[in-house]
Amino acid sequence: MKLDDLPLPALHQSCLENSLQLRTGPFVTRLGTSYHGLIEQLGFFYSNHEVIQAPWVADFHVRILRPVSVRRIWRPQINFFLDAKHPFEPYALEQALPLFEWGLNWCIATHAHQFLMLHAAVLERDGHALLLPATPGSGKSTLCAALAHRGWRLLSDEFGLIRPETGDVWPLPKPIPLKNRSIEVIREAIPEAQVGPLFTGTRKGDVAHVKPPCDSTRRQQEPARPAWILFPRYQSGSPTRLQVQTPELGFVRLSRNSFNYRIMGETGFRGVLRLVQNCSIHQLIYSRLDEALRLLAQLPVPDGNGTT
Amino acid sequence: MPDRDVLWQYVPRENIVIEALDLQAAVYMRPTGETHILSTLPAEILIHLMTGEKTEQGILQAIENAHGLTSDADWRVQIHASLMQMQSLGLTTP
C-alpha cells in the first residue's frame, strides 16, 4: 500500500510506535518519530512510496527524536538515531526533514555495500540510464529535477546504485534537495514541480525539496541499463556544450566519485570498468537549463560499447 | 645508465587484473587494492612481460616485432623509465 492510503491517525500511530516501514528503492526503513511537523512533511513527500505493513527485516531502524532536555523548549532541537546511535550533532527542530533526508543518505552510503555506489543523479529514458556524477555546486540536482519533469524517469538524485552482478542501476527515488539559487530556477522553469517548504540557514544554505514524480516512485523497483555518463558543470555565462571524455578519464572521475570504490575492492574496479566500457561519456558545460534539456533530449543511444 | 642485462618480471599473475581501456590500461592490484591507469607504453610492456621475464633489450625487441617498428635510443630510455615507474608502483620487479 502507498503511504497516501494510510489514514492520517494510522500514520501518526505508526510513527509514534517506531513501526512505519517505508520502502525507498531497494531499501526499507523502519521509522519512528513523535514530531508532528516531520510526519506531515513525510506525508507530502513520500505519499506515493510503498508502506510495508507485514513484519519485515528493515535495512535501517531510524528514529527522529526531540531531546529530553531544555533544548526541547529553548531553541528546540531534534536528533537522528540509527539504532541506538546518533551519528550527527542535533539539528534545529524545524530542519527535521533535511535531517531525515541527509541521515538516510548517510545510512545508505555507509552500509549498502551490496551496491557500487556513485555520488550521482540518475535518470532513465526507454530503459537507458543517464548517470550524472558530480561534485557539490555542479548543478546536478537542478538538472536532475528539471529532467525528471521533462520526459525522463527519476531514479535518484544522490546515488547511482550499481548492482555488480548485472551492471544495472537501481532506483532510489527520494525528494530532490535544491539549494540556494537553484530553488528559484526550478520554480520558474518547471512550475509543475512540487516544491516543499523552504528550510533556511541549514548547513548547506537554504534548501527546498522537490517531490519525486509519481511515475518515478511507482516504478521504484525497476532498474535500468546504464547508457550515458555525463559529468555536469554549471558555468555562469557559458554556452551549452558536450565534450567527449575518454574512458580512462571517465574511469578516474567515476572511481573518485564513488562512495565505496575502495571498500568494494576488485568488484568496484570491475563495476567502474564495465560502466566506462559500455557507456558514452561526456562532460556537459551549461549555464542555461533550457538549452541543457534540449541537448540531453537528443542524446543518441549508445550501442553498448560506449559509442553512439 | 640502464642495466640491459637485468631481467624484468611482471608481478604474479594472480595478484593483478589488467584490462584494456581504449589505448590505455586499467590495472587493479589485488594485494593492495590500488588501481592504476597505465598509458600505452607501460601497458604494452606489461603485456610482453606476461609471456615471461625479459631484459630491457628483450622488451624492446618484443615491441619492435609486435608493431614492425625500428626503435632508437629514445625508446630504450622510455622503456627504462616506464619499468622504473612500474617498479615503484609494485607492478614489475627486476
Side-chain angles (χ1 to χ4, degrees):
Chain A
M1 94 189 286
K2 291 193 307 180
L3 190 143
D4 216 17
D5 298 329
L6 203 59
L8 203 56
L11 172 62
H12 278 260
Q13 193 60 33
S14 296
C15 287
L16 284 171
E17 292 173 351
N18 304 326
S19 62
L20 179 70
Q21 297 184 129
L22 190 65
R23 178 183 289 287
T24 46
F27 308 114
V28 173
T29 302
R30 179 180 266 254
L31 176 64
T33 184
S34 58
Y35 179 43
H36 289 234
L38 176 61
I39 297 171
E40 281 173 20
Q41 288 167 353
L42 291 173
F44 170 71
F45 284 110
Y46 287 90
S47 65
N48 297 311
H49 280 70
E50 182 189 358
V51 168
I52 297 173
Q53 294 201 296
W56 202 267
V57 179
D59 296 275
F60 309 112
H61 288 226
V62 168
R63 289 173 300 144
I64 311 285
L65 300 177
R66 299 176 70 177
V68 186
S69 73
V70 68
R71 296 309 290 269
R72 201 174 175 87
I73 48 173
W74 184 72
R75 292 186 182 174
Q77 292 182 326
I78 197 149
N79 278 308
F80 179 96
F81 287 85
L82 174 65
D83 299 323
K85 292 176 276 189
H86 61 109
F88 313 117
E89 293 296 311
Y91 275 47
L93 179 64
E94 61 273 17
Q95 293 175 8
L97 182 81
L99 174 63
F100 170 68
E101 290 299 321
W102 291 328
L104 190 51
N105 287 348
W106 177 85
C107 292
I108 294 165
T110 54
H111 291 82
H113 302 306
Q114 67 271 40
F115 294 99
L116 171 66
M117 290 184 278
L118 305 174
H119 181 215
V122 187
L123 298 113
E124 176 263 0
R125 196 181 67 194
D126 301 328
H128 304 291
L130 164 68
L131 279 76
L132 301 169
T135 49
S138 58
K140 165 179 70 74
S141 294
T142 316
L143 200 54
C144 174
L147 287 167
H149 292 82
R150 290 292 180 268
W152 294 77
R153 172 168 68 110
L154 170 73
L155 269 70
S156 174
D157 169 62
E158 192 70 10
F159 288 93
L161 296 177
I162 310 293
R163 184 69 86 177
E165 301 85 355
T166 61
D168 288 344
V169 58
W170 273 75
L172 181 60
K174 289 172 77 247
I176 304 169
L178 301 173
K179 290 151 207 115
N180 305 314
R181 216 171 63 80
S182 68
I183 299 166
E184 271 319 299
V185 170
I186 289 298
R187 280 200 172 123
E188 282 175 20
I190 317 286
E192 72 273 29
Q194 292 186 277
V195 183
L198 180 68
F199 300 98
T200 56
T202 77
R203 291 164 199 200
K204 297 188 177 182
D206 293 348
V207 174
H209 299 77
V210 176
K211 182 176 176 174
C214 186
D215 180 56
S216 157
T217 313
R218 187 176 56 80
R219 296 167 65 192
Q220 66 169 335
Q221 292 197 76
E222 190 181 311
R225 175 68 55 180
W228 307 278
I229 298 166
L230 207 76
F231 296 95
R233 199 172 94 203
Y234 174 81
Q235 196 170 294
S236 180
S238 165
T240 304
R241 60 189 192 274
L242 277 178
Q243 297 171 329
V244 174
Q245 302 261 286
T246 59
E248 54 272 22
L249 184 55
F251 188 103
V252 172
R253 293 185 74 174
L254 274 188
S255 56
R256 286 185 181 165
N257 162 282
S258 168
F259 290 105
N260 62 345
Y261 174 78
R262 280 194 69 87
I263 293 172
M264 297 285 284
E266 187 174 337
T267 305
F269 172 82
R270 292 191 184 279
V272 172
L273 194 69
R274 174 147 62 175
L275 282 172
V276 298
Q277 285 173 335
N278 295 340
C279 296
S280 72
I281 311 170
H282 291 86
Q283 174 161 268
L284 169 70
I285 298 173
Y286 79 103
S287 60
R288 292 192 47 163
L289 194 54
D290 56 341
E291 288 181 4
L293 293 178
R294 251 198 316 275
L295 197 63
L296 296 186
Q298 296 161 5
L299 272 180
V301 177
D303 60 8
N305 298 313
T307 51
T308 51
Chain B
M1 279 295 289
D3 184 347
R4 290 181 192 171
D5 296 328
V6 171
L7 279 169
W8 287 87
Q9 59 184 343
Y10 185 64
V11 296
R13 184 177 287 246
E14 63 273 18
N15 285 354
I16 196 169
V17 182
I18 179 164
E19 295 281 349
L21 206 53
D22 205 6
L23 295 175
Q24 307 196 15
V27 176
Y28 178 76
M29 303 281 288
R30 288 189 174 122
T32 61
E34 297 284 339
T35 302
H36 305 290
I37 303 291
L38 300 183
S39 57
T40 311
L41 181 58
E44 177 111 15
I45 291 171
L46 267 194
I47 288 164
H48 288 300
L49 287 179
M50 285 169 82
T51 60
E53 57 184 16
K54 290 180 177 59
T55 62
E56 289 183 20
Q57 182 60 35
I59 293 167
L60 185 63
Q61 193 68 54
I63 292 173
E64 282 181 347
N65 293 343
H67 298 285
L69 298 169
T70 307
S71 61
D72 56 26
D74 184 49
W75 277 63
R76 293 165 199 269
V77 173
Q78 286 191 46
I79 287 171
H80 181 74
S82 295
L83 284 166
M84 289 296 161
Q85 194 179 10
M86 287 196 288
Q87 185 187 1
S88 72
L89 297 174
L91 291 167
T92 54
T93 51

